[in-house]
Amino acid sequence: MSDAWAARTGLTAILITVPELAAYTDRWRSVSRSTARSHVPLTELIPPHVTVLVPWVAEPADADLARLRSAISSFEPFDLSFPAAGQFPNGTVWLRPEPFDTVRSLLQSVIAAFPDCPPYGGEFPDVHQHLTISSSAQGGPEVVAEAEAALAAEPAPTVRLTELGLWREGVDDGIWRQFGTVPLGAQR
């Protein structure tokens, strides 16, 4: 992964944030760094999350929020677990969100609602939902094996997904901060 799109600053994103997993994933995320921000551990950049869409619109307006609400209106809150680990060809190690098909449908619905915002700047045409625990520079088969052993010994916490988070990357420091949420389904 070249992360050329991520070299920009001030990006916005739609995320499934799962801060409840921090205690579980920090063992890997605290020693891993983003290829775009190599001086800062993942734990300091952004909480554990599954990316729904990045980059999103630069300055979301009411119409963008309405489009997002419409795209996720048929998705009711659901329990989200992370029972397996894997690795992308570039070395990035991840946890797989379940129910996988539901999460994939959610992502596809949001992506279809924002055709002007190709996921990852168009770098990856077939988005594979995941929670990164180790970036490409620090990942590898050893981290996958360690994560699989950890999951077998003690599963990652299950969380209730009730909303999507709206996030913006800091222009000066590269740290992501939440600026809003959009509830799933009938919670409006």
Side-chain angles (χ1 to χ4, degrees):
M1 176 162 92
S2 70
D3 280 341
W5 61 271
R8 299 179 299 167
T9 58
L11 297 172
T12 61
I14 302 169
L15 306 175
I16 296 170
T17 51
V18 284
E20 302 90 341
L21 265 70
Y24 193 88
T25 61
D26 278 2
R27 65 186 107 183
W28 302 292
R29 295 180 80 246
S30 66
V31 296
S32 185
R33 284 150 170 64
S34 163
T35 54
R37 312 282 180 266
S38 60
H39 61 288
V40 182
L42 293 178
T43 52
E44 293 179 29
L45 283 177
I46 193 165
H49 66 280
V50 175
T51 300
V52 176
L53 184 59
V54 67
W56 190 39
V57 294
E59 294 298 329
D62 289 344
D64 299 309
L65 296 174
R67 198 169 14 155
L68 178 57
R69 282 187 199 97
S70 177
I72 65 172
S73 64
S74 66
F75 293 90
E76 293 300 324
F78 60 92
D79 288 338
L80 188 61
S81 64
F82 296 86
Q87 179 180 1
F88 291 127
N90 71 355
T92 298
V93 180
W94 44 262
L95 298 181
R96 177 184 169 113
E98 290 290 347
F100 189 81
D101 290 341
T102 301
V103 175
R104 184 171 185 82
S105 293
L106 178 65
L107 269 66
Q108 289 172 338
S109 182
V110 172
I111 291 167
F114 294 94
D116 49 326
C117 301
Y120 301 101
E123 187 171 350
F124 304 103
D126 184 25
V127 177
H128 182 277
Q129 64 267 25
H130 65 283
L131 187 154
T132 297
I133 60 170
S134 184
S135 68
S136 57
Q138 293 83 29
E142 303 82 20
V143 178
V144 174
E146 184 181 322
E148 288 175 338
L151 289 166
E154 178 184 351
T158 297
V159 298
R160 184 84 174 153
L161 181 62
T162 61
E163 64 190 17
L164 297 182
L166 308 178
W167 291 73
R168 181 180 309 283
E169 180 189 31
V171 174
D172 295 330
D173 59 11
I175 295 174
W176 289 82
R177 293 171 183 85
Q178 189 168 5
F179 67 88
T181 61
V182 175
L184 293 181
Q187 293 192 67
R188 294 181 261 179

